[in-house]
Amino acid sequence: MYNSKIIGLGHYVPENVVTNDDLSKVMDTNDAWIQERTGIKERRHVIRGDGDTTTTMGVKAAKVAIERAGIDKDDIDFIIFATLSPDYYFPGPGVLVQRDLGIKTVGALDVRNQCSGFVYALSIADQYIKTGMYKNVLVIGSELHSHGLDMTTRGRGVSVIFGDGAGAAVLTREEDTTKGILSTHLHSEGQHAEELSLIAPGMGNRWVTDIMEDNDPNDESYFPHMNGQFVFKNAVVRFSEVIVEGLEKNKLNATDIDLLVPHQANLRISQFIQKKFQLSDDQVFNNIMKYGNTTAASIPIALTEAWEEGKVKSGDLVVLAAFGSGFTWGSVIIRW
Ligand code: UT7
C-alpha cells in the first residue's frame, strides 16, 4: 500500500471582476447586505462569448498544476473532473480535458458532488494511488455558474453568492505512509436533495422541450434553488462532524491543525468553524471575499493560493472540509 500526495497545484479565474455594487445595478441588493451575510466583496464572472467554459478554465488550472508538479502531461494516468456546471449535458468535461491537454487515452471520470466535489474527487484519486493502480492522477474542480444564475431580484438570495473559476491538483504515489493524504471521509444525506438544487432540465423531470413549451415567465426550475438558512444550519453541524471524524481517525486533535481550508460557502460558516475548533486566523484560509462560492473549484483555488502564499509547508497538517448540495459533505486529512 502507498499514500498519495499533492505535488502540483494551480488555479485560474476569469478576469472579469463583478463587485457587489455591480450586482446592485441589476437587482435589489447592496454591498452591506452581501458582506454582512456572506463576507463576499466581489466574484469573477465569465463574459459570454469570450471563450472560457468550465472545461477551458479547468484546463488552464491543470496546466499550471502539471508544470508545478514537474511531470509531463503524458505521465498522467487518470483524470478526475468535479463540476456541477459541465459544458455539455454529456459527455462530461473529463474527456474534454483529455482531448484539450493532448493526453494519451487515459481514463477520465466526472464527479457530480457539487460543493463537496473536489473532496470526493481527491478521495477517489487517493484510492487509485493507494492500491497501486495509478501513479499520477490529475484532479480538477471547475465551475461556470454565472451564465445560469437568475440575475434579477427574484434570484438574489442565490446569485450574489456564486462565482466562476477553476483549481487543479496533481497527485502522485508516496511510499512513506506517514505523509500525504492520511484519510478521507465522505457522507451524503439525499433526504435533503431538493434544498439546494437545480432540478430542470432533467430526464426524470422536465426536459428542455417541456420548459420551452410551457414558456412560463414564473418558471424558476432552471435556476439554482437554495433554502439558505436550512443549508447554513446543516453546514455548520456537518463541517464540524466530518473534521472531528478525520482527526479522530488519525488520533489527532484540533490543536494539531496547521491549516484548515474549508469549502468557501460563506465566511460566516468558516468563522463559526474557526471558533468551534479555537483556531487562529492564520490556521484558517479564506478567499471567498474575492471569488464568492465557486463550488467544486473553491477548495483547489483556496489551497493553491494558500500554497502560493507559503501557508502550506512540508510536515504541516492540512485539513480540507466541504459541505453542499446533496446534501454531501467530506474531509481530507493531509500531512504535507
Ligand atoms: O456552498 C453550498 C453550501 N451553501 C451554503 O452553505 C449557504 C448557506 N446559507 C447562507 O449562506 C445564507 O443563508 C444566505 C447568505 C444564502 C442568506 O442569508 P440569510 O441570513 O439566511 O438570509 P435570508 O435568506 O433569511 O434572507 C433575509 C432577508 C430576506 O428579506 P425579508 O424576508 O427578511 O424581508 C431576503 O429577501 O434578506 C433578503 N435577501 C436579500 N437582501 C438583499 C435575500 N437575498 C438578498 C440580497 N440582497 N442578495
Side-chain angles (χ1 to χ4, degrees):
M1 286 285 274
Y2 306 102
N3 267 12
S4 69
K5 69 174 176 190
I6 295 172
I7 53 165
L9 286 163
H11 82 291
Y12 171 82
V13 289
E15 274 178 23
N16 180 38
V17 176
V18 177
T19 65
N20 296 340
D21 286 340
D22 291 334
L23 293 178
S24 70
K25 289 174 193 143
V26 294
M27 64 182 80
D28 182 12
T29 190
N30 57 78
D31 180 52
W33 190 97
I34 300 172
Q35 284 210 49
E36 190 196 319
R37 307 278 175 138
T38 71
I40 299 166
K41 295 181 183 194
E42 57 189 44
R43 73 287 293 142
R44 304 296 178 98
H45 283 180
V46 169
I47 296 173
R48 275 179 199 272
D50 84 347
D52 263 335
T53 68
T54 294
T55 301
T56 65
M57 291 192 291
V59 165
K60 286 173 186 171
K63 282 183 177 165
V64 177
I66 293 167
E67 199 191 325
R68 286 175 174 170
I71 64 165
D72 189 85
K73 64 179 170 53
D74 287 321
D75 296 328
I76 290 167
D77 302 310
F78 196 66
I79 300 163
I80 308 178
F81 201 120
T83 189
L84 63 70
S85 51
D87 294 11
Y88 305 143
Y89 195 84
F90 73 86
V95 297
L96 304 181
V97 168
Q98 180 274 330
R99 178 186 69 190
D100 293 354
L101 280 178
I103 296 177
K104 58 186 190 295
T105 57
V106 300
L109 179 73
D110 298 295
V111 169
R112 289 292 311 271
N113 289 82
Q114 299 70 248
C115 302
S116 312
F118 193 77
V119 164
Y120 268 73
L122 279 185
S123 179
I124 296 164
D126 180 49
Q127 298 306 309
Y128 277 131
I129 291 172
K130 269 196 165 76
T131 58
M133 182 164 173
Y134 296 127
K135 188 174 177 209
N136 298 313
V137 179
L138 172 63
V139 180
I140 300 172
S142 179
E143 304 286 1
L144 200 171
H145 285 295
S146 59
H147 294 181
L149 297 172
D150 181 358
M151 299 298 281
T152 69
T153 298
R154 184 179 68 173
R156 66 183 179 174
V158 173
S159 49
V160 302
I161 295 168
F162 293 100
D164 303 338
V170 174
L171 281 80
T172 197
R173 184 182 293 168
E174 168 61 63
E175 302 207 350
D176 179 351
T177 53
T178 64
K179 286 189 184 154
I181 294 184
L182 303 181
S183 64
T184 61
H185 308 270
L186 307 177
H187 294 277
S188 72
E189 191 174 26
Q191 187 189 343
H192 303 307
E194 285 79 18
E195 302 291 353
L196 176 46
S197 59
L198 199 164
I199 61 166
M203 297 291 184
N205 185 30
R206 295 168 68 234
W207 187 236
V208 181
T209 41
D210 300 311
I211 296 169
M212 287 167 69
E213 208 169 294
D214 291 351
N215 195 19
D216 175 3
N218 297 317
D219 187 4
E220 297 177 55
S221 65
Y222 47 85
F223 290 123
H225 160 77
M226 176 163 67
N227 181 351
Q229 292 197 1
F230 185 72
V231 174
F232 193 106
K233 283 178 196 152
N234 278 268
V236 291
V237 173
R238 297 310 194 182
F239 262 108
S240 305
E241 279 177 8
V242 83
I243 291 168
V244 169
E245 182 184 348
L247 291 172
E248 283 180 353
K249 168 81 182 169
N250 294 286
K251 299 188 174 50
L252 295 163
N253 298 306
T255 48
D256 296 313
I257 297 175
D258 292 298
L259 190 70
L260 171 66
V261 181
H263 161 54
Q264 302 292 291
N266 182 322
L267 191 60
R268 307 297 158 236
I269 295 176
S270 296
Q271 287 168 337
F272 180 94
I273 303 303
Q274 176 175 342
K275 202 167 161 199
K276 184 172 169 77
F277 289 98
Q278 297 182 309
L279 301 172
S280 67
D281 288 351
D282 284 351
Q283 289 169 292
V284 183
F285 191 84
N286 290 302
N287 61 6
I288 191 170
M289 306 72 91
K290 295 191 290 181
Y291 304 128
N293 178 346
T294 56
T295 318
S298 93
I299 288 182
I301 293 175
L303 189 57
T304 302
E305 288 200 337
W307 178 83
E308 286 169 349
E309 290 174 25
K311 290 184 172 155
V312 183
K313 297 177 291 302
S314 180
D316 280 358
L317 187 77
V318 178
V319 175
L320 314 178
F323 174 88
S325 164
F327 293 153
T328 58
W329 61 101
S331 63
V332 182
I333 312 294
I334 307 171
R335 179 66 69 188
W336 207 268

